[in-house]
């Protein structure tokens, strides 16, 4: 049995290891879809919606019948004594001690109370329903933030990997150059200094490559953490970095009210207005109904067994009216506070609209600048390529130095990396533009 348990344990661990070590192919669309299901912020935002809905039920419960049952048993081991005038029993001028009650009694009752009218209740139900909408809008805002984070993390992971590949290609070229330089040196056509320069360049490139590999690993872990997946999961990114973006966004057809932030402020203002109405209707009377019915049984000393043989009922119903007359200006203070909140929210909305317009202008400018930078970096890459090819040819023909060859290779590699980074910055600027426009 001991060996069987060990075998089961080992098999389970092996299965778990195989599942963990399995490579996950992850496209950008898949990453977005998984984030909608697994991202912690989104999961909590959806729980906030459910929590808000339970608050609606909580408010509604106060308007439903409130039913309570009660049962009790009492043993009055010392029945209270009362003094009455002797005139009641034909003994004027004296007092007589008497006991009213019995030692044992039991009671059972049920009571029902019902709200008939209360203006604050109906407004409370309306406000709690509108609060659910606030939670839904907040979840939508969280979804936008998560989508933005996934886009940027995915693009960062792609660009880090592509930069790593460029460095690997450069290292391959540099090692080839090292081999050729050593051959020229052995043949007497190159100096020891030329060999040392290339060896140093290879060593420096290895250091840079190691840092880039570590950076690539970190960017992938950042992506997995953003999506909501184990950061140790091996992943293969299958979507390329977009080489072109659509830029049909203009200020002429932009409506700030389409932004989720403005929708949330409008919803908050609606809650503020409902709050104001709630305090105003607090001056109106409240009407309640109640009903109760119960039954009691009694037993005298030494006759406890008779308890429960005879039951005596009692019941009542009634209506209660509560009319607020003076509360020390409490509701007046609350009304003034609600009016101030309404004004503050109005100011916040105006400020938010100004901030959104500024954000959009900034996003458009950054996007246009990123497009220009990409075009310039593309030209630089082509120029660096031509320089590299010419320098390599000259070095192979023996009319160029190793210094020129190493410099040209470094410049070409840096130009390719600069172009990729410019392409990344363009895509990031496009994401920021879409978010500023409210269409992400």
């Amino acid at each position: 049995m001991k060996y069987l348990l060990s075998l089961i344990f080992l098999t389970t661990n092996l299965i778990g290891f195989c599942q963990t070590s399995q490579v996950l192919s992850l496209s950008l669309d898949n990453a977005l879809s998984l984030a909608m299901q697994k991202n912690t912020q989104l999961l909590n935002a959806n729980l906030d919606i459910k929590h808000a809905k339970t608050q609606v039920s909580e408010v509604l419960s106060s308007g439903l019948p409130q039913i309570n049952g009660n049962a009790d048993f009492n043993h009055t081991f010392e029945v209270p004594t009362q003094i009455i005038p002797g005139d009641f029993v034909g003994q004027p001028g004296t007092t007589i001690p008497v006991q009213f009650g019995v030692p044992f009694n039991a009671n059972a009752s049920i009571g029902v109370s019902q709200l008939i009218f209360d203006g604050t209740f109906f407004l409370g139900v309306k406000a709690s329903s509108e609060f659910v909408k606030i939670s839904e809008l907040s979840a939508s805002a969280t979804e936008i933030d998560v989508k933005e984070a996934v886009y940027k993390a995915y693009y960062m992971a792609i660009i880090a990997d592509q930069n790593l590949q460029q460095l690997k290609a450069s290292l391959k070229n540099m090692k080839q150059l090292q081999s050729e330089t050593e051959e020229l040196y052995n043949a007497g056509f190159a100096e020891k200094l030329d060999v040392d320069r290339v060896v140093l360049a290879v060593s420096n490139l290895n250091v840079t490559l190691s840092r880039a590999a570590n950076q690539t690993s970190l960017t992938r872990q950042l992506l997995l953490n953003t999506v909501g997946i184990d950061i140790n999961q091996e992943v293969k990114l299958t979507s390329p970095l977009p080489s072109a973006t659509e830029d049909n966004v203009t200020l002429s057809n932009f409506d700030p009210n389409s932004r989720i932030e403005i929708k949330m402020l409008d919803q908050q203002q609606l809650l503020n207005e409902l709050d104001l109405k709630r305090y105003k209707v607090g001056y109106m009377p409240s009407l309640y109904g109640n009903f109760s019915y119960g039954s009691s049984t009694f037993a005298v000393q030494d006759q406890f067994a008779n308890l429960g043989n005879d039951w005596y009922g009692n019941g009542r119903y009634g209506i209660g009216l509560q009319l607020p007359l003076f509360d020390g200006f409490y509701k007046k203070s609350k009304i003034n506070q609600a009016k101030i909140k309404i004004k503050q929210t109005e100011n916040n909305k105006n400020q938010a609209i100004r901030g959104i317009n500024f954000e959009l202008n900034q996003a458009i400018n950054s996007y246009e600048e990123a497009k220009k930078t990409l075009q310039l970096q593309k030209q630089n890459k082509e120029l660096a390529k031509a320089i590299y090819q010419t320098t390599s040819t000259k070095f192979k023909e023996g009319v160029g130095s190793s210094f020129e060859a190493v410099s040209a290779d470094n410049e070409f590699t840096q130009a390719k990396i600069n172009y990729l980074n410019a392409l990344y910055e363009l895509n990031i600027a496009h994401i920021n533009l879409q978010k500023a426009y409210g269409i992400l």
Side-chain angles (χ1 to χ4, degrees):
M1 184 66 181
K2 176 180 178 182
Y3 297 108
L4 179 60
L5 290 175
S6 299
L7 180 60
I8 293 174
F9 178 76
L10 178 60
T11 305
T12 303
N13 284 344
L14 286 174
I15 293 174
F17 174 77
C18 292
Q19 291 176 342
T20 303
S21 61
Q22 188 176 15
V23 178
L24 173 65
S25 294
L26 191 64
S27 67
L28 178 56
D29 289 338
N30 289 340
L32 291 169
S33 178
L34 284 173
M36 296 303 106
Q37 303 170 28
K38 296 178 175 293
N39 181 270
T40 302
Q41 290 177 307
L42 267 178
L43 292 175
N44 286 336
N46 290 326
L47 289 176
D48 285 339
I49 295 176
K50 293 181 179 180
H51 183 267
K53 290 180 178 178
T54 63
Q55 289 180 309
V56 177
S57 300
E58 178 185 352
V59 175
L60 283 172
S61 66
S62 63
L64 298 176
Q66 309 295 307
I67 303 174
N68 295 288
N70 183 58
D72 64 79
F73 165 77
N74 299 287
H75 176 204
T76 308
F77 57 86
E78 189 72 36
V79 178
T81 299
Q82 302 288 333
I83 302 297
I84 63 174
D87 301 85
F88 286 103
V89 292
Q91 299 180 16
T94 63
T95 58
I96 299 175
V98 296
Q99 292 181 324
F100 296 98
V102 293
F104 303 104
N105 76 291
N107 304 282
S109 64
I110 185 171
V112 181
S113 62
Q114 173 64 54
L115 173 66
I116 298 176
F117 174 79
D118 188 342
T120 60
F121 166 74
F122 299 105
L123 284 172
V125 173
K126 175 66 174 175
S128 60
S129 299
E130 296 298 333
F131 182 73
V132 173
K133 295 180 181 179
I134 279 277
S135 299
E136 292 172 345
L137 288 171
S138 179
S140 297
T142 302
E143 181 178 336
I144 292 171
D145 291 339
V146 170
K147 286 176 66 177
E148 178 190 13
V150 171
Y151 271 117
K152 292 182 177 180
Y154 196 96
Y155 290 161
M156 183 183 294
I158 292 175
I159 202 68
D161 184 67
Q162 291 185 357
N163 285 340
L164 180 63
Q165 299 308 317
Q166 293 298 331
L167 289 172
K168 287 182 178 179
S170 179
L171 180 61
K172 181 180 179 181
N173 293 336
M174 196 62 65
K175 286 184 176 180
Q176 178 64 29
L177 179 61
Q178 179 182 353
S179 177
E180 294 174 354
T181 305
E182 288 174 347
E183 290 178 2
L184 291 173
Y185 171 72
N186 292 332
F189 297 105
E191 298 180 0
K192 183 67 167 57
L193 180 61
D194 294 325
V195 176
D196 292 341
R197 281 174 176 166
V198 179
V199 171
L200 179 61
V202 169
S203 178
N204 289 335
L205 200 51
N206 275 317
V207 174
T208 304
L209 190 62
S210 176
R211 292 175 180 173
N214 184 54
Q215 185 67 29
T216 300
S217 176
L218 290 176
T219 57
R220 293 195 174 209
Q221 290 181 2
L222 173 63
L223 171 62
L224 294 174
N225 183 63
T226 304
V227 171
I229 302 176
D230 180 9
I231 62 172
N232 295 315
Q233 170 68 54
E234 188 175 355
V235 63
K236 177 182 179 182
L237 305 181
T238 59
S239 295
L241 186 67
S243 58
T245 56
E246 298 179 1
D247 55 348
N248 55 352
V249 176
T250 61
L251 287 173
S252 59
N253 57 351
F254 173 65
D255 180 13
N257 293 308
S258 65
R259 285 281 296 261
I260 192 68
E261 294 90 343
I262 301 301
K263 293 178 181 179
M264 292 181 66
L265 285 171
D266 287 340
Q267 190 65 23
Q268 182 60 53
Q269 190 70 300
L270 178 59
L271 287 174
N272 292 339
E273 292 170 355
L274 288 173
D275 216 23
L276 177 60
K277 291 180 181 178
R278 181 167 66 90
Y279 290 122
K280 286 183 177 180
V281 300
Y283 288 107
M284 300 176 64
S286 303
L287 191 62
Y288 299 85
N290 60 80
F291 168 83
S292 65
Y293 181 80
S295 187
S296 303
T297 182
F298 306 91
V300 297
Q301 193 72 32
D302 300 328
Q303 296 182 5
F304 181 77
N306 293 332
L307 187 69
N309 291 341
D310 298 310
W311 289 86
Y312 303 92
N314 62 86
R316 68 180 179 85
Y317 66 86
I319 295 178
L321 180 68
Q322 183 177 358
L323 181 64
L325 298 176
F326 181 71
D327 60 2
F329 304 108
Y330 172 80
K331 282 187 285 293
K332 182 180 179 181
S333 299
K334 285 295 185 180
I335 288 173
N336 290 334
Q337 291 174 22
K339 289 179 179 178
I340 292 173
K341 284 186 178 180
I342 289 174
K343 185 60 180 177
Q344 287 177 329
T345 304
E346 182 180 343
N347 292 337
N348 290 338
K349 180 180 178 179
N350 292 333
Q351 176 59 37
I353 290 175
R354 289 193 295 268
I356 287 171
N357 286 327
F358 172 75
E359 180 185 350
L360 182 59
N361 276 304
Q362 187 179 37
I364 291 175
N365 291 335
S366 297
Y367 180 69
E368 293 298 328
E369 183 65 28
K371 287 198 298 183
K372 294 177 182 177
T373 301
L374 179 64
Q375 188 61 34
L376 290 173
Q377 292 296 352
K378 183 178 181 181
Q379 295 173 5
N380 291 342
K381 185 181 70 169
E382 295 300 323
L383 181 59
K385 180 180 180 181
I387 294 173
Y388 169 75
Q389 290 174 340
T390 301
T391 304
S392 297
T393 302
K394 288 175 61 179
F395 180 77
K396 291 177 181 178
E397 294 176 351
V399 294
S401 66
S402 62
F403 176 77
E404 292 176 339
V406 170
S407 297
D409 184 84
N410 289 338
E411 290 170 357
F412 184 36
T413 300
Q414 189 60 50
K416 289 187 288 185
I417 291 176
N418 289 343
Y419 172 77
L420 289 173
N421 289 339
L423 183 58
Y424 166 75
E425 292 296 339
L426 176 63
N427 280 278
I428 296 302
H430 186 248
I431 293 171
N432 293 336
L433 182 60
Q434 286 182 308
K435 184 179 182 182
Y437 198 69
I439 58 175
L440 184 62

